[in-house]
């Protein structure tokens, strides 16, 4: 257990610091009390009444640095917490201000927080730089896995498709994740990106970002009415290219923001302009004030002579993306740099690794991504009966084409029989098969006729003629 490093002789409060921490479960600022034997952080409310329980540290710089490094090394999940070093005699007042600025973000508030925040690059280094994208905002323990299981999701499954790490860092999943939604007897399977958020009571909730056919430009977006140029920019590059005033629907606050389109789901994303961070340098090119201002206004900027990670020079358009929350590359092979296009790497990252809940192997994915037709089995229809078929990536539409028969006739011996067509058509599409139309239960895999004597009898049972009203003699 972490011990108090001060002596017991009523030290001068002005010479003592304490640690305040943002509790990720309650989203409230609390005072650190200790670390238990299992490495779990123990906290108490930041009140004068609890000051005798506060973990107290000598204010001397070197001593504090050594103590804090040792403190983090004992903590089970150090990256989950934001710590603030506060003088003991000002803890109550400063704690209230920290809580206020965390709940009401602003540029002024960020400067205030950075005055007291202890930021970690790792357990051995103390830093005053802003939090990087490597910092975690959530822990896996905060996720309600019982609710996630209702979507057909588990921690192991998210880890397998590399979706858990970006979630815990506060981002959307990089790719689409297959989700199963059960509403009574109806089962719906969709592909969606996932994200986490904390509600007013401190609960961590999962958001599903389903695929839309196209963005809805017919209605105002948070008070903004899209121009023809806005729509074109969002569809061509994914970024609208300018800052506009949006309206917070809960508070009616006017918020200058940029807007981007999620290229995987077609969802429109807004991001506060004041949160935009423009780097001083991009791939070896130091940006001047005019270039930074261009990016800060949400506009595209063409840069020449950048150096790739392989040491090769390249040119590209860069622009801040509201969905990704950083400056992205928009590669353009045309002479006028008017139509930025994704690199092959970006394209491949958008190719789904799953189809109707079935994970593709690495070999299948590479072939699928290259445009080849691949055989896939183990698919399940809406009535939990298995079927199989072939999928091909349509590079023009970006959609997945499915067929029961191999379009290229490469795997004739593995082609599904017509029974699969019958089964899926009856079970999932509500169609009727003459040979089984009187069978009440779902057709099983490959079934296209009565499977037993009972079903045969039901199928052959003559239709009872409708009684007619005759004259009584």
């Amino acid at each position: 257990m972490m011990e108090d490093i001060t002596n017991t002789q009523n030290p001068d409060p002005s010479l003592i610091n304490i640690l305040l921490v943002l509790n990720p479960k309650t989203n409230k600022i609390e005072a650190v009390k200790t670390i238990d034997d299992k490495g779990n952080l123990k906290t108490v409310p930041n009140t004068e009444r609890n000051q005798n329980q506060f973990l107290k540290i000598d204010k001397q710089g070197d001593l504090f640095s050594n103590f804090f490094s040792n403190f983090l090394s004992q903590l089970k999940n150090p990256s989950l917490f934001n710590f603030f070093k506060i003088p003991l005699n000002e803890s109550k007042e400063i704690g209230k201000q920290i809580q206020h600025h965390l709940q009401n973000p602003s540029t002024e508030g960020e400067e205030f927080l950075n005055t007291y925040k202890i930021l970690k690059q790792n357990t051995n280094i103390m830093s005053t730089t802003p939090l990087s994208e490597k910092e975690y905002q959530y822990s896996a323990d905060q996720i309600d896995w019982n609710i996630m299981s209702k979507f057909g999701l588990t921690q192991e499954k998210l880890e397998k498709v590399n979706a858990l790490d970006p979630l815990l860092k506060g981002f959307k999943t990089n790719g689409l994740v297959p989700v199963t939604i059960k509403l009574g007897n109806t089962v719906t399977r969709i592909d969606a990106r996932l994200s986490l958020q904390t509600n007013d009571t401190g609960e961590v909730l999962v958001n599903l970002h389903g695929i839309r056919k196209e963005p809805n430009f017919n209605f105002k977006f948070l008070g903004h009415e899209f121009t023809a140029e806005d729509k074109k920019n969002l569809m061509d590059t994914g970024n609208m290219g300018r800052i506009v005033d949006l309206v917070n629907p809960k508070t009616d606050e006017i918020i200058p923001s940029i807007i981007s389109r999620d290229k995987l789901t077609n969802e429109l994303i807004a991001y506060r302009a004041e949160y935009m961070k423009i780097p001083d340098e991009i791939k070896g090119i130091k940006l001047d004030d005019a270039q930074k201002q261009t990016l800060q206004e949400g506009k595209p900027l063409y840069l020449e002579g950048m150096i790739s990670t392989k040491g090769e020079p390249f040119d590209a358009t860069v622009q801040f993306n509201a969905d990704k929350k950083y400056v992205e590359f928009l590669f353009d092979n045309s002479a006028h740099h008017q139509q930025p296009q994704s690199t092959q790497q970006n394209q491949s990252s958008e190719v789904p690794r799953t189809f109707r809940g079935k994970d593709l192997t690495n070999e299948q994915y590479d072939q699928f991504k290259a445009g080849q037709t691949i055989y896939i089995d183990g698919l399940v229809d809406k009535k939990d009966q298995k079927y199989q078929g072939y999928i091909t990536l349509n590079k023009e539409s970006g959609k997945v084409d499915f067929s029961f028969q191999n379009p290229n006739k490469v795997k004739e011996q593995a082609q599904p029989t017509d029974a699969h067509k019958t089964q899926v058509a009856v079970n999932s599409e509500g169609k009727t098969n003459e040979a089984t139309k009187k069978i009440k239960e779902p057709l099983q895999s490959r079934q296209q006729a009565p499977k037993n004597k009972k079903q045969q009898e039901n199928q052959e049972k003559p239709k009872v003629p409708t009684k007619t009203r005759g004259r009584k003699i």
Side-chain angles (χ1 to χ4, degrees), residues 290-426:
Q291 290 172 320
K292 289 182 181 179
Q293 185 60 34
T294 296
L295 292 176
Q296 193 71 55
E297 293 173 358
K299 299 175 182 178
L301 174 67
Y302 187 73
L303 295 177
E304 296 178 323
M306 291 181 284
I307 305 299
S308 71
T309 52
K310 295 182 179 180
E312 299 175 355
F314 71 100
D315 307 331
T317 298
V318 295
Q319 191 172 23
F320 197 97
N321 182 284
D323 182 34
K324 299 175 181 176
K325 300 178 178 59
Y326 58 75
V327 175
E328 66 173 347
F329 292 97
L330 300 171
F331 289 95
D332 184 357
N333 297 322
S334 69
H336 302 289
H337 315 298
Q338 297 284 326
Q339 301 290 332
Q341 299 176 0
S342 300
T343 63
Q344 187 169 350
Q345 182 180 0
N346 287 337
Q347 288 176 342
S348 65
S349 67
E350 296 180 7
V351 175
R353 297 193 70 99
T354 59
F355 178 74
R356 298 180 184 176
K358 175 73 174 180
D359 294 329
L360 303 182
T361 66
N362 290 335
E363 182 181 0
Q364 285 178 319
Y365 180 68
D366 290 340
Q367 294 172 347
F368 179 59
K369 185 172 60 176
Q372 298 180 32
T373 296
I374 65 168
Y375 170 74
I376 184 169
D377 61 2
L379 301 174
V380 181
D381 65 26
K382 292 182 179 180
K383 294 190 177 179
D384 292 328
Q385 301 300 315
K386 292 184 178 181
Y387 67 100
Q388 58 204 29
Y390 296 87
I391 59 173
T392 310
L393 179 65
N394 188 323
K395 291 192 174 183
E396 293 183 2
S397 65
K399 296 181 179 179
V400 180
D401 294 333
F402 174 80
S403 173
F404 286 104
Q405 304 293 325
N406 185 350
N408 303 323
K409 296 185 178 181
V410 175
K411 297 181 178 178
E412 293 282 356
Q413 72 278 10
Q415 287 183 8
T417 65
D418 286 339
H420 279 305
K421 279 187 184 178
T422 303
Q423 164 214 335
V424 174
V426 173

Side-chain angles (χ1 to χ4, degrees), residues 86-122:
I86 306 296
L88 175 62
N89 58 345
E90 299 179 74
S91 62
K92 183 178 179 181
E93 182 60 33
I94 294 178
K96 288 182 179 179
Q97 294 182 60
I98 290 175
Q99 185 76 58
H100 170 77
H101 289 306
L102 287 171
Q103 294 176 342
N104 303 276
S106 66
T107 303
E108 179 183 357
E110 186 176 356
E111 293 177 359
F112 179 88
L113 294 176
N114 286 337
T115 303
Y116 300 99
K117 186 183 291 186
I118 308 171
L119 298 168
K120 305 86 59 186
Q121 296 295 331
N122 55 48

Side-chain angles (χ1 to χ4, degrees), residues 60-77:
Q60 184 178 346
D62 290 340
L63 183 58
F64 179 85
S65 298
N66 293 332
F67 164 78
F68 191 70
S69 294
N70 183 48
F71 176 88
L72 288 184
S73 69
Q74 297 183 48
L75 192 58
K76 186 176 181 180
N77 294 305

Side-chain angles (χ1 to χ4, degrees), residues 106-246:
S106 66
T107 303
E108 179 183 357
E110 186 176 356
E111 293 177 359
F112 179 88
L113 294 176
N114 286 337
T115 303
Y116 300 99
K117 186 183 291 186
I118 308 171
L119 298 168
K120 305 86 59 186
Q121 296 295 331
N122 55 48
T123 56
N124 298 316
I125 301 175
M126 295 176 61
S127 172
T128 56
T129 58
L131 283 171
S132 72
E133 294 175 9
K134 295 182 180 180
E135 295 286 344
Y136 289 87
Q137 295 188 25
Y138 305 96
S139 72
D141 294 338
Q142 291 177 270
I143 298 174
D144 189 332
W145 293 107
N146 288 328
I147 291 180
M148 292 290 257
S149 67
K150 295 179 181 179
F151 297 135
L153 301 173
T154 64
Q155 182 171 344
E156 293 75 18
K157 187 171 184 178
L158 292 179
E159 288 174 344
K160 183 179 179 181
V161 297
N162 298 318
L164 186 60
D165 200 57
L167 276 181
L168 299 183
K169 289 177 180 177
F171 297 99
K172 287 182 186 177
T173 54
N174 295 326
L176 297 169
V177 176
V179 176
T180 301
I181 301 175
K182 295 183 179 180
L183 297 173
N185 295 325
T186 303
V187 178
T188 302
R189 292 180 175 86
I190 64 170
D191 289 331
R193 294 181 76 182
L194 310 179
S195 66
L196 299 176
Q197 74 172 57
T198 306
N199 66 9
D200 295 337
T201 62
E203 269 186 299
V204 175
L205 307 177
V206 61
N207 292 324
L208 302 182
H209 305 271
I211 300 174
R212 298 158 172 77
K213 185 177 180 181
E214 58 187 19
N216 191 345
F217 293 129
N218 297 324
F219 297 94
K220 290 184 178 181
F221 177 74
L222 299 176
H224 174 69
E225 189 168 349
F226 295 100
T227 66
E229 185 178 1
D230 290 341
K231 298 174 186 177
K232 183 178 186 303
N233 289 340
L234 284 165
M235 295 309 297
D236 287 349
T237 69
N239 305 313
M240 196 167 76
R242 64 191 181 108
I243 294 176
V244 293
D245 288 336
L246 301 182

Side-chain angles (χ1 to χ4, degrees), residues 438 457-465:
K438 293 182 181 180
E457 289 174 352
N458 289 335
Q459 180 65 23
E460 294 175 353
K461 192 177 293 183
K463 184 177 180 181
V464 179

